[in-house]
Amino acid sequence: MRHIAAILLILGLLAACKSAPPPASESAGELAPRADASAIAQPDDSAGTVSAGEVGNDAESTVVLPPELQGRTVIYFAFDSDSISAEDQELVAAHARFMSGKAGVRLRLEGHTDERGSPEYNIGLGERRAQAVRRALGLQGVADSRVATVSYGEERPAASGDNEDAYSRNRRVELVYLGG
Amino acid sequence: MIDSIRTWWRSPLRCALLVFFVLGSRGAEAQLQVDITSGVSVPIPLAIEDLAADPQASAEVIRQDLARSGRFIVGLRTAADYLVTGRASAGVDGRTTIDFELLNLLNGQRLLVERVTSPPTAWRNAAHRISDRIYQKIIGARSAFATRIAYVSVDGQPPSQRYQLIVADADGENARVVLQSRLPLMSPTWSPDGESIAYVSFETRAAAIYVQKVRTAERRRVSGRPGVNNAPAWSPDGRKLALTLSSGSGNLDVHVLELDTGVLTRITDHPAIDTEPVWSVDGSQIYFTSDRAGGPQVYRAEPIAGARPQRITFVGNYNARPRVSPDGKQLAFVTREGGAYRIALQDLGNGVVRVLSKGPQDESPAFSPDGGTLIYAARERGQRVLGTVSADGLILQRLKADRGEVREPAWGPFLP
């Protein structure tokens, strides 16, 4: 019976993915560190074969969103701006209502910029966007303690390319739910 | 394959593709290929003969180094002003010895008669050291052929990128992956002794700063506070890191972390973005980017709590990511000209600014340890590549990965 429930859950998630891909789904693949990670060459040693540790995977729990929020977990921004549009203020309010009914749910806000400008300075701009969404959620009653922020700056674009279409899709804050 | 030949408007340039080669692909890491996009107008003609009994292609490495410097044209002995000859021999201990000479063909003078010994596995490094000796003797300035660079390689399309932190020789050879992750790696920077690299990793879906030994891959997380942990910069004595923290409040400020004790000192305290710190050569000041005046500009402050920052850049409305030249006299940074981001150099004495690079999106400048060259990240025909430009603006190079994109270069120090 548990297996059937699990399969149904997976099928449900897959269906949700088709209609509305969650913004931060990661495939688990590489694990850290590889067994040969210690085989590091001397700096001047051209013959040494070298391999690296691999990091950067953590499986996350998935919070199933109500239909009206599925596929609506990204807020976009204008160039060099951290202001949330009136329409997106409504979206933030809807997320705040969802959180108020789900005490165990937490949120991670992932701030991003387009690729123009200095990468480290862009970390600051991405953080500013994430904090803008955090403040908007706070005004809707979501406690700061339930919201973490991370700024990826320009390091993790949603779209590749050096054109305005890609830029506008990359200037964003992704809302990633945790817990359940 | 010949592309990106650029002209440099400031000087009568002989704009020639002096050398072009593809570095052999050895492993999973992205290999760099190097081409010169412009050089000096009157390069010095030089011939380098194959070394007798050399089991490796040492002479070819020396030729490539000196040709790519943009200061030489490497060719036949009959056309050369200078000649390098030499001989390799194997010692009983398995080490290889190279005896070489540098001859001035115009007056017959022997300028160098020297010997370099190395383990066979380090033959490329030995060749780079010979290149450094020749360059120094003829040009009269230090070069950095026998140094290393680090950079980040990004492979794959969103949202499935793979990030690799790579260490390579300064010519892009011997590239090896020291860390890879499904989540971003950024801001690599070498410790002053060249033993370690500090960098930012998002591997836990939060930012943290790590210090990793290059030889052993042993690493330590030195800062993983809530929010932003970014832009690590080693103090000249290697005992401290300047870094940017938001401490969960969303307000980025520059801090100094003592690596041995973990003692943290907040240097800036301002609601603006304060980030991208870098130390002055003597360690008495920290240069950093702040948008406290609106757009980003470079400021300078003492590395103490309650420091009072002083603004350094005034030309234009976007000046970020400062780096101080090894002689302490110049400041490199990213400047915006129209819609383009370029590498600029400001004389810290008289304030004069020169824009060195020509790309649409140049960023992340770093000085070579001799100060003669800047390496930076660029975009060219939609691809992220690395560029170098000589500090006088005359010599431009491109380093492209054979696949994926490369960015955030850092140039290591001279090795002992």
Side-chain angles (χ1 to χ4, degrees):
Chain A
M1 192 61 205
R2 287 204 347 235
H3 292 296
I4 294 170
I7 289 165
L8 285 175
L9 178 62
I10 290 165
L11 286 174
L13 287 172
L14 286 175
C17 283
K18 266 186 193 159
S19 59
S25 62
E26 292 286 324
S27 61
E30 300 179 343
L31 297 170
R34 287 209 310 242
D36 51 354
S38 59
I40 298 297
Q42 301 289 305
D44 297 341
D45 185 349
S46 62
T49 54
V50 177
S51 58
E54 293 186 352
V55 296
N57 285 287
D58 57 339
E60 301 205 50
S61 63
T62 305
V63 175
V64 179
L65 292 176
E68 69 272 18
L69 291 181
Q70 284 178 14
R72 300 184 66 209
T73 54
V74 184
I75 292 165
Y76 295 95
F77 293 83
F79 175 66
D80 204 22
S81 167
D82 63 352
S83 64
I84 302 168
S85 70
E87 189 186 339
D88 282 337
Q89 292 283 2
E90 291 295 320
L91 179 58
V92 169
H95 279 283
R97 284 193 296 279
F98 170 66
M99 288 190 78
S100 70
K102 286 267 190 185
V105 162
R106 289 171 296 116
L107 197 56
R108 184 175 62 228
L109 301 172
E110 300 182 344
H112 301 267
T113 68
D114 68 37
E115 66 172 31
R116 291 172 289 178
S118 181
E120 287 92 357
Y121 180 66
N122 281 343
I123 291 289
L125 298 177
E127 179 68 17
R128 219 172 238 173
R129 285 177 180 150
Q131 293 291 339
V133 176
R134 185 191 219 179
R135 275 195 305 279
L137 286 163
L139 291 173
Q140 302 287 335
V142 177
D144 265 3
S145 59
R146 298 177 68 190
V147 183
T149 60
V150 59
S151 174
Y152 287 109
E154 65 178 87
E155 309 297 318
R156 214 174 167 216
S160 53
D162 53 346
N163 51 68
E164 185 48 47
D165 178 57
Y167 296 160
S168 62
R169 289 201 285 157
N170 290 334
R171 292 188 300 261
R172 71 201 193 278
V173 170
E174 299 193 0
L175 286 71
V176 180
Y177 281 99
L178 309 165
Chain B
M1 293 288 283
I2 296 174
D3 60 7
S4 71
I5 295 178
R6 289 154 184 267
T7 55
W8 185 245
W9 62 274
R10 297 178 64 132
S11 65
L13 255 201
R14 172 191 154 113
C15 181
L17 189 71
L18 293 175
V19 67
F20 169 81
F21 59 95
V22 179
L23 301 171
S25 184
R26 290 193 303 126
E29 64 275 10
Q31 290 281 336
L32 296 178
Q33 63 188 44
V34 185
D35 62 312
I36 289 196
T37 50
S38 67
V40 293
S41 52
V42 188
I44 296 166
L46 173 78
I48 298 160
E49 296 196 337
D50 285 340
L51 305 184
D54 185 6
Q56 304 291 353
S58 306
E60 189 54 29
V61 171
I62 300 166
R63 287 182 199 119
Q64 287 166 355
D65 280 344
L66 295 172
R68 285 194 359 243
S69 76
R71 309 281 176 193
F72 296 95
I73 182 143
V74 177
L76 296 175
R77 177 177 185 160
T78 48
D81 292 354
Y82 296 90
L83 173 68
V84 179
T85 60
R87 162 176 298 277
S89 54
V92 285
D93 55 355
R95 292 166 72 87
T96 304
T97 296
I98 293 173
D99 292 290
F100 70 96
E101 293 185 10
L102 170 63
L103 225 67
N104 182 336
L105 293 175
L106 302 177
N107 60 14
Q109 200 181 353
R110 267 191 179 74
L111 298 175
L112 288 175
V113 181
E114 294 193 359
R115 167 175 288 192
V116 171
T117 302
S118 67
T121 51
W123 71 272
R124 291 193 69 94
N125 182 261
H128 292 314
R129 288 175 188 273
I130 294 171
S131 302
D132 280 329
R133 292 294 297 135
I134 294 166
Y135 187 99
Q136 168 99 46
K137 196 68 191 176
I138 298 176
I139 303 294
R142 207 166 174 187
S143 55
F145 301 120
T147 58
R148 288 172 296 167
I149 56 173
Y151 55 92
V152 174
S153 158
V154 187
D155 212 357
Q157 292 298 309
S160 308
Q161 298 98 322
R162 183 172 63 155
Y163 300 82
Q164 295 183 320
L165 177 59
I166 293 176
V167 169
D169 292 350
D171 62 357
E173 274 285 356
N174 283 336
R176 60 181 188 273
V177 182
V178 298
L179 187 71
Q180 56 186 341
S181 178
R182 290 289 178 186
L183 289 151
L185 302 170
M186 68 181 296
S187 305
T189 176
W190 292 85
S191 62
D193 63 6
E195 296 282 331
S196 302
I197 295 177
Y199 57 86
V200 176
S201 172
F202 292 84
E203 66 202 58
T204 63
R205 292 163 198 279
I209 296 170
Y210 295 80
V211 170
Q212 180 163 330
K213 294 275 187 199
V214 177
R215 285 168 195 260
T216 64
E218 170 204 348
R219 66 180 197 147
R220 180 163 79 95
R221 192 180 78 162
V222 298
S223 182
R225 291 166 179 80
V228 171
N229 297 264
N230 200 246
W234 298 87
S235 62
D237 63 8
R239 295 166 61 184
K240 289 171 271 189
L241 282 183
L243 42 80
T244 302
L245 301 173
S246 69
S247 303
S249 71
N251 175 28
L252 280 69
D253 277 309
V254 173
H255 294 66
V256 170
L257 175 69
E258 281 183 34
L259 286 167
D260 287 344
T261 63
V263 169
L264 189 68
T265 305
R266 182 181 192 146
I267 306 305
T268 67
D269 188 357
H270 193 282
I273 293 172
D274 293 336
T275 187
E276 303 181 328
V278 67
W279 300 75
S280 63
V281 175
D282 65 2
S284 69
Q285 302 278 334
I286 287 177
Y287 292 84
F288 63 97
T289 307
S290 176
D291 65 358
R292 58 187 63 197
Q297 296 291 345
V298 177
Y299 293 74
R300 180 172 66 190
E302 288 181 75
I304 55 171
R308 283 201 241 157
Q310 172 194 359
R311 185 167 163 179
I312 300 298
T313 55
F314 292 93
V315 180
N317 58 13
Y318 189 111
N319 295 302
R321 233 305 280 256
R323 286 294 181 268
V324 184
S325 64
D327 66 4
K329 293 179 178 169
Q330 306 272 334
L331 193 72
F333 48 87
V334 177
T335 194
R336 190 166 63 199
E337 284 192 315
Y341 296 83
R342 289 181 176 146
I343 308 306
L345 212 52
Q346 177 168 326
D347 186 312
L348 285 169
N350 62 21
V352 170
V353 177
R354 289 181 299 142
V355 177
L356 295 183
S357 70
K358 299 295 288 174
Q361 254 181 70
D362 300 335
E363 58 192 35
S364 304
F367 278 98
S368 63
D370 59 300
T373 307
L374 287 140
I375 194 168
Y376 56 95
R379 214 183 228 292
E380 190 172 82
R381 299 186 181 179
Q383 194 191 358
R384 282 175 176 273
V385 301
L386 302 181
T388 65
V389 60
S390 57
D392 59 13
L394 295 178
I395 300 156
L396 291 156
Q397 284 185 20
R398 280 287 172 273
L399 295 87
K400 292 179 194 170
D402 55 359
R403 63 182 172 77
E405 312 212 300
V406 287
R407 44 184 314 180
E408 308 206 28
W411 208 316
F414 287 121
L415 297 171

